[in-house]
């Protein structure tokens, strides 16, 4: 994985976190980090950060919780999309935790290991084989999540489109391309 992909994963992990006060504080850093990105990605991210900058914290929190916490179709927990609440979900999360530990990544949050912003943060620093494993395991779920976000006319759909495109660039699966 090249530096650009790692940078993208880090940016996306930040932008997809719960929109607390730190999100708006990080927008200048995010904008600076987008300078070397492809114009298509930079435009999507800049549009999203403009939305964040121009929206009240209460509205951002409401959008986020309504979309990701109260709608199972757009949950940010990837294993939920693949396994539902079935028995296979626990071992899938244990595999992710094991991968995090194997490569020295510490989950400093209280989120489950399959929480997309956490997965993206890990992918910004992990070895290629770990990233390819995640893409192989959850590429279809990321694509499904992006489709669901588009159907819901969510401001997060463009960010998920970038995730799908970068997953495609790994070449380990065939996922839908970012829609124009």
């Amino acid at each position: 994985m090249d530096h650009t992909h790692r940078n993208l994963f880090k940016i996306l992990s930040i932008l997809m976190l719960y929109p607390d006060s730190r999100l708006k504080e990080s927008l200048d850093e995010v904008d600076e980090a987008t300078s070397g990105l492809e114009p298509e990605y930079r435009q999507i991210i800049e549009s999203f950060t403009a939305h964040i900058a121009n929206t009240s914290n209460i509205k951002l929190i409401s959008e986020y919780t309504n979309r990701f916490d109260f709608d199972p179709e757009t949950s940010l927990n990837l294993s939920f999309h693949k396994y539902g609440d079935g028995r296979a979900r626990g071992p899938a999360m244990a595999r992710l935790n094991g991968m995090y530990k194997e490569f020295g990544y510490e989950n400093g949050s209280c989120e489950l290991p399959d929480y997309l912003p956490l997965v993206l943060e890990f992918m910004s620093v992990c070895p290629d084989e770990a990233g390819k494993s995640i893409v192989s395991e959850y590429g279809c779920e990321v694509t499904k999540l992006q489709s669901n976000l588009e159907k819901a006319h969510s401001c997060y759909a463009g960010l998920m489109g970038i995730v799908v495109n970068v997953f495609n660039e790994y070449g380990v699966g065939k996922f839908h391309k970012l829609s124009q």
Side-chain angles (χ1 to χ4, degrees):
M1 177 178 3
D2 65 19
H3 173 72
T4 302
H5 289 152
R6 291 183 187 284
N7 187 36
L8 264 171
F9 285 138
K10 182 63 179 173
I11 291 167
L12 295 169
S13 74
I14 291 167
L15 294 177
M16 296 193 80
L17 286 170
Y18 181 82
D20 61 16
S21 61
R22 292 176 294 180
L23 178 61
K24 284 191 178 188
E25 294 168 8
S26 69
L27 291 182
D28 287 339
E29 284 181 55
V30 168
D31 285 341
E32 189 176 308
T34 64
S35 64
L37 298 179
E38 295 176 31
E40 176 186 19
Y41 294 163
R42 195 171 55 248
Q43 180 182 8
I44 291 168
I45 292 169
E46 287 172 354
S47 174
F48 184 81
T49 58
H51 170 72
I52 296 297
N54 296 313
T55 305
S56 73
N57 287 350
I58 291 173
K59 178 128 173 78
L60 291 172
I61 290 168
S62 176
E63 286 177 352
Y64 191 92
T65 55
N66 286 331
R67 182 60 44 224
F68 297 124
D69 295 339
F70 297 137
D71 185 352
E73 295 294 313
T74 55
S75 168
L76 290 177
N77 294 99
L78 296 177
S79 69
F80 177 79
H81 293 285
K82 187 165 189 161
Y83 302 108
D85 280 329
R87 292 184 148 200
R89 188 169 179 214
M93 287 194 283
R95 283 192 302 277
L96 276 172
N97 262 337
M99 189 183 306
Y100 294 164
K101 287 179 183 171
E102 178 182 350
F103 296 108
Y105 179 78
E106 292 201 28
N107 176 1
S109 76
C110 60
E111 297 293 343
L112 295 173
D114 66 336
Y115 178 60
L116 183 60
L118 180 64
V119 171
L120 294 173
E121 183 179 318
F122 172 69
M123 291 181 74
S124 76
V125 297
C126 74
D128 282 350
E129 69 265 15
K132 286 181 180 181
S133 175
I134 289 170
V135 169
S136 180
E137 178 82 10
Y138 294 108
C140 290
E141 287 64 37
V142 165
T143 301
K144 180 179 172 183
L145 177 56
Q146 194 250 350
S147 175
N148 291 342
L149 289 169
E150 279 186 356
K151 288 177 193 170
H153 305 288
S154 171
C155 61
Y156 290 90
L159 298 180
M160 283 304 301
I162 295 172
V163 175
V164 171
N165 273 6
V166 177
F167 273 31
N168 279 325
E169 291 176 22
Y170 269 99
V172 296
K174 292 184 179 184
F175 314 111
H176 299 288
K177 286 288 188 184
L178 179 65
S179 60
Q180 298 284 322

